[in-house]
Amino acid sequence: MKSTLYILLVLSLLFFPSCKTETKKKEKKALPQKPNIVFIMSDDHAYQAISAYNDTLIQTPNIDRIAEEGVLFTNASVTNSICAPSRAVILTGKHSHLNGKIDNNMPFDTTNVTFPQLFQKAGYQTAMFGKLHFGNNPKGFDEFKILPGQGDYYNPKFITSKGDTIVNGYVTDIITDFTLDWMKKRRDTTKPFLLMYLHKAPHRTWLPAERHYKVFTKKTFPLPATLFDTYDTRGTAAKTAEMGILKEMQLRYDNKLTKEVTDELKVEDKYDWSPLDRMTTLQRTSWNETYSPISEEFRKSYPAMNDSALTVWKYQRYMQDYLATIAAVDENVGRVLDYLDENNLKENTVVVYTSDQGFYLGEHGWFDKRFMYNESFKTPLLIRWPNVITPETTEDEMVQNLDFAQTFLEIAGINAPEDMQGESFLPLLINEKEKWKRDAVYYHYYEYPSVHAVKRHYGIATKKFKLMHFYYDVDEWEFYDREKDPMEIRNLYNDPDYANIISEMKEKLSALRIKYKDSDEHNNRYIQIYKENGWIK
């Protein structure tokens, strides 16, 4: 009898959950109304140079804090890996061919509606400090202080609504000073705010702050596995690109050798100006104390260097300066996070850290970006939203910079325009992953012929595969198995074992081009504009 009652009790628990359990299932966490948003973006910050992704090159404890207290996206990517077009995609939520900013040459169409304009209209206080890269009067901001174009690392000029101003100091520190000054003195505490905090670093030419170059120039870094890639299975594009560390990285402009040494060694430098020209006498004196001995050491070693040794030397110098500029970014991100935490702003503020694209840190022998290969296609994305995002979450769903506008608008409860093309990934932030349906993303790069000579191409990526089509002066396809070949060194386009998969990927690619309203007509129209402006023949 006792055993029978025990069995009935167990069955009742299995098939008739308690009222408490049922209530818990139905509970849905209420999202904060109109939270603040702090959007932090660096320029050319490779995900490989954030220790939350990879701790072999540098430690970035402050940027990592965002992931530790929130979510780390491992499959975030861009739609067009180049600075100004990426920023235009972020602001408009539309692909480059529709917002018109296909490359760094084409002007930004100011009739585009940007998401900060919508935030401002909805009652948010808005501010932008740092690098925009295009336009001198960004719409939708109550206050802005932005660098003209690329801007300078030392003693930079800023464009403001009240005129231009030059500020002495180091750019990463100054941008943060502006940001904190606004939050402390001019933030309207009765309104939610949208703050765009945008760093120049670590963009070329990688000039570190004094406190960091004295440390990082003494460091040695591990070589990437594909530093000496020979592109055996790939087509014309990879073989003709002009962003190789050996040939295209400049000894004076990039690696900071003195003109006296390059002249003595009869080494030609592509650029006839120095990125150090804006330094004060005191700043230059301190710089020379560290970098002149490096030049002298190179002068003695260069005659015996073969191509491999020169590549390794250039790579180490590149990493020393590039990573040193990131050290300043990380420190300053920490300053902003500390301010939010210490002033009761943490709980109701969404903090986003990203880059306008990825970057090559010696992979495939390259620096720069532009290609759809992983290192420039993928971008870091870390988001903190206390009491909403589960801390230490890792998310591998495919999101893009195209999605930022709609995601932020939905977070703020603002309706997005129908012509925006992204998808809000809010479901991924609030544990409603079943609502996220995307299985592929689209990419299109246009700036050719131009600097670095990366050919025009478009393509599609899923979690497993990637298909790219290079066009304009070539007609070549490349296909990669992303799971079996994560470094993307084996082009399998002509492998019969993948014929069916490639056919399916081509169908998916055609469907995405239709969905996003891209076409060969767009390509031809932009090529014609290039010809009319004399940018290409």
Side-chain angles (χ1 to χ4, degrees), residues 91-271:
L91 288 171
T92 64
K94 295 188 287 188
H95 274 278
S96 301
H97 60 275
L98 292 188
N99 70 48
K101 187 66 179 167
I102 62 169
D103 57 24
N104 285 336
N105 292 313
M106 291 289 287
F108 178 67
D109 181 356
T110 56
T111 64
N112 280 300
V113 174
T114 64
F115 79 82
Q117 289 175 268
L118 301 175
F119 269 79
Q120 189 182 50
K121 187 177 180 181
Y124 270 72
Q125 188 181 17
T126 57
M128 174 188 282
F129 303 106
K131 180 179 176 180
L132 174 61
H133 198 180
F134 61 85
N136 294 343
N137 188 23
K139 291 183 179 180
F141 294 98
D142 300 316
E143 181 175 331
F144 64 84
K145 292 178 181 176
I146 58 173
L147 296 163
Q150 294 288 0
D152 293 289
Y153 275 101
Y154 279 82
N155 311 317
K157 178 191 289 186
F158 284 88
I159 299 166
T160 78
S161 58
K162 298 178 181 179
D164 295 355
T165 182
I166 293 175
V167 183
N168 289 330
Y170 187 66
V171 68
T172 307
D173 301 335
I174 294 168
I175 291 169
T176 308
D177 291 342
F178 287 161
T179 300
L180 292 174
D181 181 70
W182 178 83
M183 283 202 285
K184 293 174 183 177
K185 299 178 181 178
R186 289 180 303 289
R187 182 175 65 85
D188 184 344
T189 58
T190 67
K191 292 182 177 182
F193 64 86
L194 167 69
L195 172 62
M196 300 192 75
Y197 166 48
L198 313 174
H199 285 293
K200 169 184 172 59
H203 194 280
R204 193 181 186 190
T205 57
W206 320 301
L207 300 190
E210 179 181 355
R211 64 186 182 273
H212 293 126
Y213 65 63
K214 289 185 175 182
V215 175
F216 276 77
T217 51
K218 296 179 174 62
K219 292 179 178 284
T220 301
F221 300 94
L223 303 182
T226 58
L227 179 62
F228 297 102
D229 195 341
T230 55
Y231 322 115
D232 288 341
T233 67
R234 272 163 285 184
T236 308
K239 295 172 182 175
T240 59
E242 296 175 358
M243 54 188 193
I245 287 177
L246 175 62
K247 294 183 178 180
E248 280 78 41
M249 183 169 279
Q250 305 297 297
L251 283 167
R252 183 161 65 95
Y253 181 76
D254 293 315
N255 295 141
K256 319 303 190 304
L257 292 184
T258 64
K259 188 176 187 303
E260 290 74 20
V261 166
T262 55
D263 285 349
E264 179 184 337
L265 297 175
K266 295 182 171 56
V267 177
E268 292 187 9
D269 209 75
K270 184 177 182 179
Y271 303 105

Side-chain angles (χ1 to χ4, degrees), residues 88 120 126 138 166 336 437 484 526:
Q120 189 182 50
T126 57
I166 293 175
V336 171
K437 304 300 181 184
K484 295 180 179 178
Y526 284 122

Side-chain angles (χ1 to χ4, degrees), residues 482-535:
R482 302 182 75 192
E483 291 184 334
K484 295 180 179 178
D485 179 24
M487 289 188 286
E488 297 175 325
I489 57 176
R490 294 187 299 277
N491 173 19
L492 301 170
Y493 185 72
N494 294 314
D495 189 327
D497 291 340
Y498 285 89
N500 291 336
I501 294 173
I502 291 170
S503 179
E504 291 172 5
M505 289 287 285
K506 282 190 173 182
E507 289 180 8
K508 279 180 175 284
L509 176 58
S510 295
L512 276 187
R513 297 195 79 199
I514 292 170
K515 174 183 177 179
Y516 292 127
K517 301 178 182 179
D518 197 8
S519 66
D520 291 341
E521 290 181 8
H522 277 295
N523 300 343
N524 294 334
R525 178 165 64 88
Y526 284 122
I527 288 170
Q528 185 59 36
I529 291 172
Y530 260 60
K531 289 180 178 179
E532 290 172 358
N533 283 278
W535 296 334

Side-chain angles (χ1 to χ4, degrees), residues 372-403:
M372 196 184 175
Y373 302 127
N374 268 349
E375 289 81 9
S376 63
F377 172 62
K378 290 177 65 174
T379 189
L381 178 60
L382 307 85
I383 304 178
R384 181 182 86 172
W385 192 2
N387 302 316
V388 176
I389 297 175
T390 303
E392 297 186 315
T393 299
T394 299
E395 180 55 74
D396 71 344
E397 289 300 316
M398 304 190 76
V399 300
Q400 286 193 293
N401 58 351
L402 181 71
D403 304 322

Side-chain angles (χ1 to χ4, degrees), residues 342-358:
E342 294 164 5
N343 288 273
N344 299 318
L345 289 169
K346 177 178 180 178
E347 298 305 312
N348 195 37
T349 300
V350 181
V351 176
V352 180
Y353 186 89
T354 191
S355 173
D356 52 357
Q357 63 259 321

